[in-house]
Amino acid sequence: MKLAPPPNEQILRACLQPQINPQNSSTVTAAFTVPNAYVAPKSSSLTLAAEPNGVNGSEKKKVIVLGADGFCGWPTSLYLSDQGHDVVMVDNLSRRNIDTELGCDSLTPIQSPDVRVQAWKEVSGKEMKFVNLDVAKEYDLLVQLIKDEQPDSIVHFAEQRAAPYSMKTSKTKRYTVDNNVGGSNNLCCAVIDSEVDAHIVHLGTMGVYGYGTSGGEIPEGYIDVILPGGREANILHPAYPGSVYHATKCLDALLWQFYQKNDQLRITDLHQGIVWGTNTPQTIKDERLINRFDYDGDYGTVLNRFLMQGAMGVPLTVYGTGGQTRAFIHITDTARCIEIAINNPPNTGERVEIFNQVAETRRVRDVAKLVADQTGVEMNLLPNPRQEAAENELDVSNRKFCSLGLDPITLDEALFNEVTEVVQKYKHRCDPTKILPASFWNKKRAEECASLDPNSVKIVDKTQEAVKA
């Protein structure tokens, strides 16, 4: 993977707030204990070209964040508010309802939106509005909200985000398509009907490209091709989804292309890698602000699942050979990339801007080995519940974000410690029967995984083991 020069500081760099004591990184003025992995940066490595009004020289904007209660939406909302933007949070709390459906809560005890917003006001002095609204179903309310708020930008996280959940049953497949594609179409229509020139920033996925199907480096959205007759063209990269969830992101991409061409909407699509990490410099200011942590087989992202399993003494659940190469990004960089996109919108009439929102690529078994070496647990190769290649290469360009000032956080054992400490603090909330995969891509995969017994997973109390030793 071709990246910008290696970062000088891997741990939360320029976005870290001054309440951290660099001499004792576990000391903070708020009630929430800061993991030792957080250290104060020596200098800022992020410089954005923008009008001086907000924090760090960025222009203050009115931003509506759709899906603001989720794993990426919540820390992004806090970060944007912390940077001086006027943030309106929108969510229908569907992810919390899915927790109830699956019988598996976030490992961390997340608070209600009202409590979260009030806590943020207390620790930052900044206000955020929360609106309970279903983007896919309550169209008239969405139009009126855009008219009332007159946003400069609308950040679109409001989609069912888990590939395994999208493959679980016919019901979840249909829900994922209806919610994701319907919501994206509603958003485009609502911006048009409201007559507000709002810049749409959508969180997509690297999965729209497929894995290892480009024959080389995956470009940022558009690929040079030679058409019959020797004609050269630069076209939208062909879609090659690996799940219903990924298919909805491919359909989103076509909607963005159409509405930009037809209605001159200004749209940025961010093809993001697998997110890891839990907290950010904003969420650690108060325990009521803590981000959600999903560890189950449906919603837990692969590295977070490994870190949770390692901390609890559970063998790491590596699917197949572990030869799948994937792109990764830390949750802190997700929020930073969103602001960079907001501050660099395409002009009216310009084609959809596409960024690859990734820090690096790693093979899954190599990531598992990093965690296994750190935690002392074994790797357990399981039958793969997914229909995918056993091995693949992945070379990705991320030059655009790097050229705009992003110095990406890469996989680092010190940051692993942050996640591990969160797990240790809340491990009593873990249901070990939810750790193994519970969604299968097709009948063949389900049959191959039939021997997996969710009741076989046992948590090891490392504290008691150390005492016995």
Side-chain angles (χ1 to χ4, degrees):
M1 181 177 182
K2 299 176 178 64
L3 296 175
N8 293 324
E9 298 156 346
Q10 290 293 309
I11 306 173
L12 304 184
R13 304 180 191 87
C15 53
L16 205 54
Q17 300 302 312
Q19 79 277 5
I20 307 289
N21 182 345
Q23 301 302 319
N24 181 3
S25 62
S26 63
T27 302
V28 66
T29 56
F32 190 41
T33 301
V34 182
N36 292 329
Y38 289 113
V39 296
K42 296 178 182 177
S43 62
S44 173
S45 61
L46 181 61
T47 303
L48 302 178
E51 295 298 321
N53 279 320
V55 177
N56 294 337
S58 62
E59 179 184 359
K60 179 179 179 180
K61 296 186 177 184
K62 168 70 76 69
V63 183
I64 293 178
V65 179
L66 307 177
D69 188 54
F71 174 54
C72 292
W74 171 240
T76 297
S77 297
L78 290 181
Y79 178 77
L80 293 175
S81 176
D82 209 25
Q83 295 300 104
H85 302 291
D86 185 1
V87 177
V88 178
M89 299 170 53
V90 176
D91 206 292
N92 68 341
L93 307 184
S94 60
R95 180 64 190 89
R96 296 177 186 245
N97 293 333
I98 291 174
D99 278 344
T100 301
E101 173 192 338
L102 298 179
C104 185
D105 291 332
S106 164
L107 187 69
T108 50
I110 56 174
Q111 300 298 314
S112 69
D114 288 343
V115 171
R116 282 177 152 183
V117 168
Q118 179 60 33
W120 178 243
K121 180 179 180 180
E122 292 173 11
V123 302
S124 70
K126 297 180 172 66
E127 294 192 14
M128 291 194 297
K129 180 189 298 184
F130 175 75
V131 178
N132 191 323
L133 186 153
D134 190 323
V135 175
K137 295 181 178 179
E138 298 177 307
Y139 179 74
D140 291 342
L141 294 179
L142 178 61
V143 173
Q144 191 60 51
L145 177 71
I146 296 173
K147 286 182 178 180
D148 292 344
E149 297 296 341
Q150 296 287 308
D152 299 293
S153 301
I154 302 175
V155 180
H156 181 22
F157 290 113
E159 296 182 286
Q160 193 291 105
R161 68 169 180 83
Y165 182 81
S166 79
M167 301 298 294
K168 197 174 192 69
T169 64
S170 295
K171 179 181 178 180
T172 62
K173 290 174 183 177
R174 291 163 49 233
Y175 166 73
T176 300
V177 172
D178 292 346
N179 180 78
N180 293 7
V181 181
S184 294
N185 189 56
N186 279 358
L187 174 58
C188 291
C189 293
V191 170
I192 295 166
D193 286 349
S194 67
E195 299 183 335
V196 175
D197 182 25
H199 170 214
I200 296 172
V201 178
H202 171 251
L203 190 71
T205 171
M206 283 295 300
V208 300
Y209 299 118
Y211 294 103
T213 60
S214 295
E217 182 187 67
I218 294 179
E220 304 202 59
Y222 301 95
I223 188 170
D224 294 324
V225 298
I226 299 178
L227 300 173
R231 293 170 294 151
E232 296 182 355
N234 183 252
I235 65 171
L236 188 68
H237 192 287
Y240 200 68
S243 72
V244 169
Y245 158 75
H246 292 104
T248 65
K249 296 293 189 175
C250 296
L251 294 171
D252 285 343
L254 293 178
L255 286 175
W256 310 140
Q257 294 291 322
F258 170 74
Y259 281 109
Q260 183 283 319
K261 178 184 68 174
N262 193 69
D263 299 281
Q264 305 294 294
L265 294 190
R266 296 182 300 128
I267 302 171
T268 298
D269 200 7
L270 306 176
H271 293 165
Q272 179 167 263
I274 297 171
V275 183
W276 68 284
T278 307
N279 282 311
T280 68
Q282 289 73 42
T283 64
I284 62 172
K285 290 184 176 183
D286 189 295
E287 192 161 10
R288 293 170 295 173
L289 302 175
I290 194 169
N291 196 22
R292 70 176 299 124
F293 186 106
D294 298 307
Y295 64 91
D296 61 288
D298 281 340
Y299 274 88
T301 61
V302 60
L303 180 50
N304 276 5
R305 285 192 291 109
F306 287 168
L307 291 168
M308 184 281 299
Q309 291 161 10
M312 294 191 172
V314 175
L316 307 185
T317 54
V318 179
Y319 298 163
T321 66
Q324 310 92 333
T325 303
R326 297 293 183 262
F328 293 89
I329 186 170
H330 192 272
I331 185 65
T332 298
D333 277 345
T334 292
R336 296 169 67 206
C337 286
I338 293 294
E339 191 194 23
I340 293 175
I342 287 172
N343 287 338
N344 295 274
N347 295 319
T348 300
E350 291 182 349
R351 70 180 183 177
V352 176
E353 181 64 86
I354 301 176
F355 292 83
N356 289 339
Q357 189 164 303
V358 303
E360 63 183 323
T361 60
R362 294 286 188 101
R363 204 174 292 276
V364 170
R365 61 171 170 256
D366 295 336
V367 173
K369 187 176 186 305
L370 286 176
V371 178
D373 289 346
Q374 185 182 30
T375 60
V377 300
E378 298 178 349
M379 292 190 292
N380 188 13
L381 299 182
L382 303 180
N384 195 342
R386 303 180 179 224
Q387 184 69 34
E388 61 185 4
E391 307 270 336
N392 72 274
E393 302 299 325
L394 188 63
D395 187 14
V396 183
S397 171
N398 67 349
R399 295 180 184 86
K400 289 184 180 180
F401 271 131
C402 291
S403 70
L404 291 170
L406 179 70
D407 193 8
I409 297 169
T410 52
L411 302 191
D412 182 271
E413 290 187 0
L415 284 172
F416 288 179
N417 289 337
E418 178 260 329
V419 179
T420 299
E421 290 183 20
V422 170
V423 172
Q424 289 292 349
K425 183 172 183 179
Y426 299 109
K427 63 183 179 181
H428 62 280
R429 292 174 52 87
C430 174
D431 180 353
T433 67
K434 303 300 182 181
I435 290 176
L436 293 180
S439 296
F440 310 100
W441 262 233
N442 51 44
K443 291 182 179 179
K444 181 180 178 182
R445 294 297 180 181
E447 291 170 357
E448 291 177 354
C449 296
S451 62
L452 297 179
D453 180 7
N455 294 310
S456 66
V457 178
K458 305 298 180 184
I459 294 175
V460 177
D461 191 329
K462 292 187 175 183
T463 303
Q464 290 185 4
E465 282 194 345
V467 171
K468 291 180 182 178

